[in-house]
Amino acid sequence: MNSAEKIVVIATGNAHKVEEFNRLAADAGLKDLRFISAKECVPEGMPKVVEDAGTFEGNARLKALALRKIVPADYFVMADDSGLCVDFLDGAPGVETAYYAGPDATHAENRAKLLEALKGVPAAKRGAYFYCLLLLISPESREIIFDGSCHGFISENERDSGFGFGYDPVFVPAGYDKTFAELSGDIKDSLSHRGKAFAELTAYFRKRS
Ligand code: IMP
């Protein structure tokens, strides 16, 4: 690590997430910021955490604190938590988004359950938003939270052109008539909950450097 470089260890076992954060940092021109996975930092990787806090913030804190204990003190740690909140379902699936159709559910099963739950619900009542929360713990042990949301509605059927993951094929962002899975990655990054939370994080690191 050179003296200006800041290392952020991400509380995830998902290499795809680490890649995405590094891409967003490079796009933002943050050359001295480097995201690494827990596995790249400590041989045991991300500890198992039961995400039972009941809120996005609480779950992110559980993951970040578990990681803080095992990584070098001069590194930042960061945990993210995200999900989809549907108005007609009183905010569900929310913190259960990844497991909506069961503990081992696939993305396809989760989407099918959601479309079934909204069967026959008129367009005006299909409002929903994606939410993303990033919880950072600095080397000085300060906790900082960044978040972002993206409002839109749930389509009646899946629409996919090969982009996206998770609930992308059933989520249409406000102002568009295409689902996230039909829009390009660049458009999604500019609108998405994760993109907005990341912009706040970027602003924080710009001020720090
Ligand atoms: P986690 O924050 O990685 O636990 O993600 C929670 C769940 O939310 C994921 O399994 C996805 O199904 C869903 N999700 C979060 N962000 C997105 C997105 O940008 N598109 C589609 N699904 C998402």
Side-chain angles (χ1 to χ4, degrees):
M1 171 165 94
N2 68 48
S3 60
E5 191 173 46
K6 295 178 189 71
I7 307 258
V8 183
V9 191
I10 307 187
T12 183
N14 182 344
H16 172 83
K17 262 191 193 168
V18 181
E19 233 172 74
E20 181 178 354
F21 281 120
N22 276 317
R23 178 170 54 80
L24 289 167
D27 289 351
L30 288 169
K31 291 193 191 76
D32 294 327
L33 190 60
R34 187 153 67 91
F35 291 95
I36 61 173
S37 65
K39 186 88 198 152
E40 286 171 275
C41 184
V42 284
E44 65 266 39
M46 182 61 202
K48 269 251 162 293
V49 173
V50 181
E51 296 183 40
D52 59 0
T55 61
F56 292 109
E57 182 180 321
N59 285 344
R61 185 172 295 113
L62 288 173
K63 290 184 275 189
L65 290 175
L67 189 60
R68 178 76 277 172
K69 289 191 191 128
I70 58 170
V71 308
D74 55 338
Y75 288 3
F76 290 82
V77 300
M78 188 178 86
D80 75 314
D81 207 37
S82 63
L84 178 67
C85 303
V86 178
D87 301 345
F88 187 77
L89 303 176
D90 297 326
V95 290
E96 303 288 334
T97 298
Y99 323 104
Y100 187 41
D104 300 315
T106 62
H107 289 310
E109 287 164 347
N110 285 334
R111 291 194 299 270
K113 178 168 175 182
L114 180 62
L115 291 183
E116 188 58 33
L118 295 183
K119 207 168 180 176
V121 175
K125 292 189 173 172
R126 300 179 76 92
Y129 64 93
F130 274 119
Y131 180 72
C132 172
L133 182 137
L134 304 175
L135 189 145
L136 185 77
I137 303 180
S138 73
E140 305 83 28
S141 296
R142 261 194 73 208
E143 178 189 291
I144 310 118
I145 289 173
F146 312 98
D147 66 354
S149 43
C150 177
H151 289 260
F153 64 90
I154 305 300
S155 56
E156 283 186 19
N157 302 299
E158 293 204 6
R159 288 189 267 131
D160 196 339
S161 322
F163 300 110
F165 75 105
Y167 292 78
D168 282 351
V170 297
F171 181 80
V172 179
Y176 288 77
D177 55 11
K178 289 183 170 170
T179 67
F180 260 170
E182 295 174 304
L183 292 166
S184 73
D186 283 352
I187 296 182
K188 184 180 167 187
D189 282 351
S190 73
L191 300 171
S192 88
H193 47 309
R194 200 168 294 102
K196 288 174 189 163
F198 197 81
E200 287 188 359
L201 177 88
T202 307
Y204 167 81
F205 276 108
R206 281 223 177 84
K207 262 196 234 143
R208 257 192 90 112
S209 58

